[in-house]
Amino acid sequence: MTDKDKYAVFGNPIKHSKSPAIHAAFAAQCSQAMQYRAVRVDEGGFAEAAQRFFEGGGSGLNVTLPFKQDACQFADRLSERAERAQAVNTLKFGPGGEIEGDNTDGIGLVRDMVVNLGWVVQGLRILIVGAGGAVRGVLEPLLRERPDQLLIVNRTAAKAEELAAEFADLGTVEGGGYDLIGERQFDLVINASSAGLSGEMPDLPSTLLTERSCCYDMVYGPEPTAFMRWAAHHAAWAVSDGLGMLVEQAAQSFYLWRGQRPETRPVIHQIREAMEAA
Ligand code: ATR
């Protein structure tokens, strides 16, 4: 292993990050000798820490909360989707020494839904609950799948309105408060609000699901989330947490860094088993 094989994830908090285990599994599967560490970075200290990491021979970084915007500023060059999202979760030391920024969150979500779960996105009516950084990162790849319509609802309506306006050139996107749901029904409901982290559930009308609706929570954990329980209770056709998205976004980062696509299914399985056993 050389210095060029040094990778890390920067975040705060970072203690419970599953990224080191995921990348270790990918590296073993693809016979790649690389080192990947989780690093807790102080708030306000991202640029300095990243500079030091790359000057010290680091090859690539994953970036998680709360540094995705800082990483966007830090990159010398952005992919189109990172530029759109104004958020970066993957940095790479490029061939000419420039730092390339990308955002693999949206691809991760789409691949998990379409490839792993077998859900179709094209032509669907999609509801996204929440309008924070997580949504910003996934809108472009989601809209590229050409849903019929996409409604973003958020506790703070103005944030959803702004996001919708920013991405309106990519499809039919609306944004606003929960009241916009009214009696409308959706084929796919994605929860991106962090309300569930405290066990709360956004106040959604039970009428919004049909018998064919799929519900996806970007959050994951050993137990079903409040949103997943709500979806099951209202007889959603299929329900998933966001562990697959986490592994898929990591796989896309791994591909950008190492040029190899790991198989994700066994890794999703491995991480879930470890999570449930903990
Ligand atoms: P992330 O990067 O995970 O998206 P974020 O940018 O802090 O994190 O966004 C959190 C999202 O969860 C926001 O949409 C937030 O709504 P507001 O914009 O109104 O703050 C939403 N959220 C957090 N707690 C919530 C709660 N108790 N009820 C409803 N929405 C909540």
Side-chain angles (χ1 to χ4, degrees), residues 27-237:
Q29 195 193 101
C30 299
S31 304
Q32 297 274 322
M34 57 188 274
Q35 175 202 97
Y36 187 107
R37 294 190 306 131
V39 179
R40 183 184 168 280
V41 173
D42 289 335
E43 298 232 8
F46 179 83
E48 201 191 322
Q51 189 74 31
R52 227 178 313 120
F53 176 80
F54 285 112
E55 280 173 5
S59 288
L61 279 181
N62 276 141
V63 182
T64 186
L65 294 178
F67 299 121
K68 291 185 184 181
Q69 265 88 22
D70 296 282
C72 191
Q73 300 295 321
F74 183 80
D76 298 314
R77 219 173 54 211
L78 294 175
S79 68
E80 194 190 329
R81 57 192 181 221
E83 176 84 52
R84 267 282 175 180
Q86 282 299 298
V88 157
N89 77 336
T90 308
L91 290 169
K92 176 184 170 178
F93 189 83
E98 76 288 14
I99 305 296
E100 299 169 4
D102 200 351
N103 190 318
T104 65
D105 288 331
I107 293 201
L109 171 67
V110 169
R111 280 189 72 87
D112 191 37
M113 290 195 302
V114 174
V115 181
N116 298 338
L117 299 166
W119 300 358
V120 177
V121 176
Q122 197 178 356
L124 295 196
R125 300 164 295 178
I126 302 181
L127 174 67
I128 297 186
V129 181
V135 178
R136 178 171 279 287
V138 302
L139 281 178
E140 195 250 27
L142 211 47
L143 285 163
R144 297 253 178 246
E145 293 291 305
R146 292 192 287 119
D148 178 52
Q149 46 182 277
L150 195 154
L151 173 62
I152 307 166
V153 292
N154 194 40
R155 180 176 60 180
T156 311
K159 274 166 70 181
E161 282 166 23
E162 280 160 27
L163 265 188
E166 226 176 288
F167 287 82
D169 59 314
L170 295 178
T172 311
V173 200
E174 282 173 84
Y178 289 107
D179 56 307
L180 280 191
I181 298 173
E183 299 193 345
R184 290 163 71 175
Q185 293 195 303
F186 296 87
D187 310 298
L188 173 60
V189 184
I190 299 171
N191 180 43
S193 114
S194 52
L197 293 177
S198 48
E200 287 173 60
M201 171 61 207
D203 194 15
L204 302 175
S206 57
T207 47
L208 69 83
L209 299 182
T210 73
E211 64 204 13
R212 299 287 296 168
S213 298
C214 295
C215 291
Y216 192 98
D217 199 333
M218 287 203 201
V219 171
Y220 56 85
E223 305 291 336
T225 63
F227 171 71
M228 291 167 73
R229 289 198 304 273
W230 174 89
H233 180 73
H234 291 98
W237 181 66

